[in-house]
Amino acid sequence: MVLYMDLGTRLREARESKGLSLEEIQQVTKIQKRYLQAIEKGDHSNLPGTFYARAFIREYAAAVGLNPDEVMEEHKNELPASPQDSSVAYNRVQRSKEDASPANSNFSRVFPTIITIILIGVIIFAAYFFLSQLNSNSGGDAGKKESGEDEIIIDNSVEENNSADENSEETDGAADENQSSDDSANDEDESAEETTEGSSEEKEELNVEVTETGSGGFPQHTLEISQVDDLELTIELSNDSYLEVMKEPNGETLIDSKIYGEDDSPITVDVSKEEQIFIKTGFVPGTTVKLNEQEIEFPVENMQQKLLIKVAE
């Protein structure tokens, strides 16, 4: 006769059979001791939410040599509710982004019409102005013809020559000013081009490639990025989420393992000298990962995921 063993007892006996203490399990899994004790007692109410409860149980099972998938399947009646509701919420967020796009397309369709109306208005105004000037000139010429018989001719050749000389000097001065303006404009254009080139170098886009996609309830993915001199990791949080960042799996800690919230955001770490970056997050919809302000996409839609980011040599 096979006796049924509850989940907490099974994990505790597996730990004791390997001669491991709770402190050692805490060191391996980075899960706080009080959460490990709650799992062994079956007191899931003391765990930080259903997402983390399921993730912590998987980590515990793997640490004591059990198959996490088998443990989760055999004790599914004891586990906290599956995070289906959060998955629905996540999908709703995606749909809301897609629903927002038709507004942009409607504006794109209306925009050409607005531009056409403005151009028609400009053309009408220009035509009206041209006709007004033409009528004014015609009237002036007619007046001159009508009064031509009474004209008195005065020799103003000297004054005209003086006026011509003054106009020539003014024209030369204006030409010099225009030349100076052109030179200044060219200098400004060259400075703008240099500034643009400098900005493009500062904002060099990273080449990110997913080399391996994980599976299961807490999948681990491997990504490779192009090598850069300066590399900064930024994590933004819009909701409470379990988070941990290490130099490599089971390596030195860069961001401590705990629950972070919106008040802690953003979290920034200089990773210029690191060859690998290992990120564990418990709530993907509320977590945004960026390298040099460039967002790194999660390959799948699971609530909990791990990213192993390697810097190309």
Side-chain angles (χ1 to χ4, degrees), residues 158-173:
V158 175
E159 293 179 359
E160 290 176 356
N161 290 334
N162 292 335
S163 299
D165 292 339
E166 291 175 358
N167 291 334
S168 177
E169 291 176 358
E170 291 176 358
T171 302
D172 292 340

Side-chain angles (χ1 to χ4, degrees), residues 240-254:
D240 291 345
S241 176
Y242 166 77
L243 178 66
E244 180 179 15
V245 179
M246 295 177 284
K247 291 187 176 181
E248 57 186 15
N250 299 323
E252 183 179 342
T253 298
L254 295 174

